[in-house]
Amino acid sequence: MSNYTQLDHTHDQQQPVATVLCCNCGVPMDGSSGLVMCYDCIKLTVDITEGIPREANVSFCRNCERFLQPPQHWIKAELESRELLALCLRRLKGLNKVRLIDASFIWTEPHSRRIRVKLTVQGEAMSNTIVQQTFEVEYVVVAMQCPDCAKSYTANTWRATVQIRQKVPHKRTFLYLEQLILKHNAHMDTVSIKESRDGLDFFYGQKNHAVKMLDFLSAVAPIKSKKSEELVSTDIHSASSSYKFSYSVEIAPVCRDDLVVLPKKMANSLGNISRLVLCSKISNSIQFFDPASLQSADLNAPVYWRSPFPSLLNATELIEFIVLDVEPTGDIRGKYVLADITVSRASDFGSNDNSFYIRSHLGAILHPGDSCLGYYLANSNLNSDLFDTLDTDNIPDVILVKKHYARKSRKSKNRKWKLKRMAKEHNDIVANDDSRQAKQEQERAERDYELFLQQLEEDDELRQTINLYKTADDQYPKHSETDMEDEDDDEDAPQIGIDELLDELDDMTLDDHTMQS
C-alpha cells in the first residue's frame, strides 16, 4: 500500500450563466449585460421615434400636377414613385436622429389626398442597446397654385413685350417716334408702357399685337430685332404650353443732322458719294446728304445692320456761327442752293478775326449777319477709326447744318400749339437719395423736348408726318411786358400756322369712328 493518495481528476464543468429577472415582466435574462429590462419590454416602453411627427403636409399644384420641394422648387413626381418618397422623407423632421432601414408606401385611394408611408428605423434605446421600430406617417396633400400657374391665370398680365432701345445721348428719336405712334394709333393694344433710360417698353396681352407693333416700327425706323421666349406654364391635360415673348428692338444710332463718316466700300456702293456726309432724313432707311456737292443717297436698314457704324458727331455738339458773306455758285437741287459762305464762330466774334471759307448747301436761307449751327472740325480731336482714314487735306474746317434762330422765350408756354403725349410709367432710373443726378436727368429731358419742338417749327416736312393740336383759349397765359419783348425778339423764328393745327375734339371723334369701323 502506497503512502500517497491518488487524486481523482474530474472534467471541468462550465460555470452556469448568471441570470436576472426582468423588472417589468419577470422573464429570466442575461445579467452580464447590465440591463434590468428584457428586449421586448424595452421596445414596448422606450420610443426611439419620439420627436418624429406622425402627420405632415405636402403642397401640390392641381394644374401642373407638381409637388413643392422647399423652399421654391417644384418637381414632377408620380404617386408611389421614388421621387415622391424622397420628397416625403425630406419633409419629415427629426428623421436624422435615427437610422432609416426601410421606407415604403401604404396604398390609399388616389382621390383621398392622403399619402401614407411605412418607416422602419433603428436607434439606441439604452446603453449598448439598439432597437428597431416600425411606424406610419400620414401626409396630407394641400392643394395650392404654383407661381408659374399663378402667372398664367393673373388678369391683365402681359404675354409679349417690345423693348425699343437706341444708344444715343438724347431722346429726340423717341420723341418723334412717340408722335408717329400716336398719329397711327399703334399703341391702342398695349397693356402698359414703361420708360427707361435708353428707350421704351411696350407690353401686350397677345403675341400678334406685339408683332403688329414690330411691323410698324420696321416701317418707320431703321431697326433690327431679336426674339426670345420664356415658358410660363404647361397644361398636361391638353398638352399645351403658355409662353411669354420678348422682342428686343434696336434703332440705328444715327439721327437726323448727325455728321457721319461712311466706310469706303459703302460710299462707293452709294454712287461714290463723299465719305463725310450729313444725315438728312430717317425713315425705314437712312438718307445721307453731301453739303459740298448736293448729292444724296439712301441706305436701307438691312444693309446698314450688316456692317453698322456710329455717328461722328451728333446734334448736341453743334456750335453757333455768324455768317459774314454768302456767294451762291448757281447749283440748285430742290430747296438747297450751293454757295461759298464765310463764317466765324460766335464765341470768337469780336475777339479775333478768325473766319472760315466753306462750301455749304444753305445758300438759299443764309444771309450776312445770320446765325447758323454747324460742326467745328478744325483742331478737333475725334476718336474715330473711320475719320482717321480720311484725307486730311480735303476735310473742311466747318460743316454747316441749319440756320439758327435766337429765341429768348425758350419755354413752350408761349406756343399756341401742343403735342399729345403717351401715358408712360417711369422706371426708377435714379436712386432716391441721388437728387442731383435726378435733377440733371430731368433737365436733360426738358432740353431734348424743347429742341424737338423747335425742330418742328423749323421743318415743315417733319410737321406733315405728325399731328399738332390747338391750345385752348383759356390756356393761353397772360403775357407780361417781358414776355411781350421776348415775343418781339422771336418774330424771326418760324411759326406754325393755324391751318396746320387740329382740334382735339375733332381728332377724338375721328379716332372713335376709326375704332368702330
Side-chain angles (χ1 to χ4, degrees):
M1 188 173 206
S2 59
N3 294 331
Y4 61 90
T5 303
Q6 184 178 0
L7 299 176
D8 187 9
H9 297 280
T10 59
H11 296 285
D12 296 335
Q13 296 181 357
Q14 185 177 3
Q15 295 292 332
V17 178
T19 60
V20 294
L21 299 180
C22 175
C23 66
N24 189 28
C25 64
V27 174
M29 61 179 187
D30 185 8
S32 61
S33 62
L35 301 176
V36 294
M37 192 179 297
C38 66
Y39 182 76
D40 293 334
C41 290
I42 291 176
K43 293 203 308 182
L44 293 175
T45 57
V46 179
D47 186 10
I48 62 174
T49 64
E50 184 179 3
I52 302 177
R54 297 300 191 269
E55 291 184 355
N57 296 333
V58 290
S59 300
F60 175 74
C61 180
R62 288 181 294 184
N63 184 56
C64 61
E65 296 187 356
R66 293 187 299 173
F67 290 89
L68 173 62
Q69 178 176 315
Q72 297 179 351
H73 189 52
W74 291 80
I75 63 173
K76 184 73 175 177
E78 300 292 337
L79 292 177
E80 299 189 4
S81 63
R82 296 180 58 184
E83 293 81 6
L84 183 57
L85 182 60
L87 175 63
C88 292
L89 294 178
R90 292 193 188 99
R91 296 286 294 167
L92 206 57
K93 297 180 180 179
L95 195 60
N96 57 344
K97 298 179 180 179
V98 295
R99 180 184 179 188
L100 181 64
I101 300 301
D102 185 31
S104 60
F105 287 102
I106 300 176
W107 185 85
T108 57
E109 290 288 347
H111 62 274
S112 65
R113 296 299 176 189
R114 297 293 186 272
I115 300 175
R116 298 174 62 191
V117 180
K118 181 181 179 181
L119 302 176
T120 302
V121 296
Q122 285 183 352
E124 186 176 7
M126 294 183 179
S127 178
N128 300 325
T129 304
I130 304 297
V131 296
Q132 180 173 306
Q133 291 181 352
T134 301
F135 63 100
E136 296 179 5
V137 179
E138 185 177 277
Y139 294 87
V140 179
V141 180
V142 179
M144 62 179 299
Q145 203 172 47
C146 66
D148 294 336
C149 294
K151 290 180 182 178
S152 63
Y153 286 100
T154 302
N156 299 326
T157 185
W158 60 273
R159 293 290 182 180
T161 176
V162 179
Q163 301 174 339
I164 310 175
R165 299 292 184 267
Q166 187 184 34
K167 300 176 182 178
V168 292
H170 56 80
K171 288 185 175 293
R172 291 187 302 122
T173 301
F174 288 102
L175 292 172
Y176 178 63
L177 183 62
E178 177 185 11
Q179 298 304 315
L180 290 177
I181 292 174
L182 289 170
K183 180 179 177 65
H184 298 279
N185 290 325
H187 66 300
M188 299 302 295
D189 298 323
T190 57
V191 176
S192 63
I193 303 173
K194 289 186 177 180
E195 183 177 8
S196 62
R197 181 186 295 271
D198 296 326
L200 297 172
D201 295 340
F202 294 84
F203 298 91
Y204 297 91
Q206 299 181 19
K207 176 186 174 183
N208 58 339
H209 293 160
V211 174
K212 183 179 178 181
M213 181 64 173
L214 198 65
D215 295 338
F216 172 78
L217 293 175
S218 62
V220 298
I223 65 169
K224 70 173 182 178
S225 61
K226 182 179 180 182
K227 174 186 174 183
S228 61
E229 59 186 31
E230 176 187 0
L231 178 64
V232 176
S233 62
T234 302
D235 188 354
I236 62 172
H237 303 291
S238 60
S240 60
S241 300
S242 176
Y243 291 89
K244 279 188 175 181
F245 299 91
S246 297
Y247 296 91
S248 178
V249 178
E250 183 178 357
I251 303 178
V254 179
C255 302
R256 186 175 180 143
D257 295 336
D258 285 0
L259 184 64
V260 179
V261 178
L262 298 175
K264 187 173 182 179
K265 291 184 178 179
M266 185 171 293
N268 294 336
S269 64
L270 296 177
N272 290 324
I273 193 172
S274 174
R275 294 183 58 192
L276 191 62
V277 293
L278 291 173
C279 177
S280 58
K281 185 179 180 181
I282 293 290
S283 58
N284 56 353
S285 62
I286 307 175
Q287 185 179 91
F288 296 110
F289 181 79
D290 182 10
S293 63
L294 304 183
Q295 183 180 0
S296 62
D298 288 339
L299 178 66
N300 56 30
V303 176
Y304 171 81
W305 287 112
R306 245 179 257 149
S307 55
F309 52 87
S311 299
L312 180 65
L313 295 171
N314 58 72
T316 60
E317 301 173 277
L318 289 171
I319 297 177
E320 183 181 356
F321 293 88
I322 304 298
V323 179
L324 303 179
D325 188 23
V326 178
E327 298 179 2
T329 62
D331 296 334
I332 301 176
R333 177 169 295 183
K335 63 179 181 179
Y336 299 118
V337 175
L338 197 64
D340 293 329
I341 303 177
T342 305
V343 297
S344 176
R345 285 194 301 178
S347 59
D348 297 338
F349 197 72
S351 61
N352 55 53
D353 297 333
N354 294 337
S355 61
F356 304 95
Y357 185 75
I358 57 175
R359 179 159 290 186
S360 176
H361 61 292
L362 303 177
I365 60 175
L366 291 183
H367 304 88
D370 290 344
S371 296
C372 59
L373 297 178
Y375 295 109
Y376 181 65
L377 301 181
N379 301 326
S380 298
N381 187 11
L382 301 175
N383 186 14
S384 173
D385 295 336
L386 291 175
F387 184 77
D388 294 339
T389 60
L390 295 177
D391 185 6
T392 57
D393 297 334
N394 297 325
I395 297 177
D397 295 333
V398 175
I399 295 181
L400 299 182
V401 177
K402 59 183 179 179
K403 185 176 180 178
H404 176 61
Y405 300 93
R407 293 178 173 90
K408 291 187 178 181
S409 54
R410 302 184 61 84
K411 300 295 182 181
S412 59
K413 63 180 181 180
N414 294 325
R415 294 187 174 95
K416 297 183 179 181
W417 58 275
K418 63 180 181 179
L419 298 174
K420 280 187 176 181
R421 302 298 303 272
M422 291 189 301
K424 299 183 288 292
E425 301 175 9
H426 295 267
N427 292 340
D428 294 332
I429 302 174
V430 183
N432 295 330
D433 56 347
D434 197 354
S435 58
R436 180 179 180 182
Q437 186 175 359
K439 185 177 180 180
Q440 291 177 351
E441 290 289 340
Q442 181 67 21
E443 292 176 353
R444 190 186 72 169
E446 293 178 357
R447 183 179 65 252
D448 291 342
Y449 187 66
E450 176 64 25
L451 292 176
F452 176 68
L453 296 180
Q454 294 178 10
Q455 187 177 13
L456 290 177
E457 293 175 339
E458 298 171 4
D459 195 334
D460 54 348
E461 293 183 2
L462 189 64
R463 292 198 300 269
Q464 295 176 3
T465 60
I466 64 175
N467 290 337
L468 305 175
Y469 299 91
K470 300 176 183 178
T471 304
D473 294 338
D474 55 355
Q475 295 180 359
Y476 289 160
K478 295 182 179 179
H479 301 308
S480 62
E481 294 182 0
T482 305
D483 294 336
M484 297 296 292
E485 293 177 359
D486 291 342
E487 288 185 0
D488 293 339
D489 294 334
D490 293 344
E491 287 182 356
D492 295 337
Q495 301 293 331
I496 298 179
I498 193 68
D499 55 337
E500 300 183 50
L501 304 181
L502 300 176
D503 194 343
E504 281 190 279
L505 185 60
D506 296 340
D507 187 61
M508 291 174 60
T509 306
L510 181 61
D511 291 342
D512 295 338
H513 177 71
T514 304
M515 293 175 62
Q516 293 176 1
S517 59

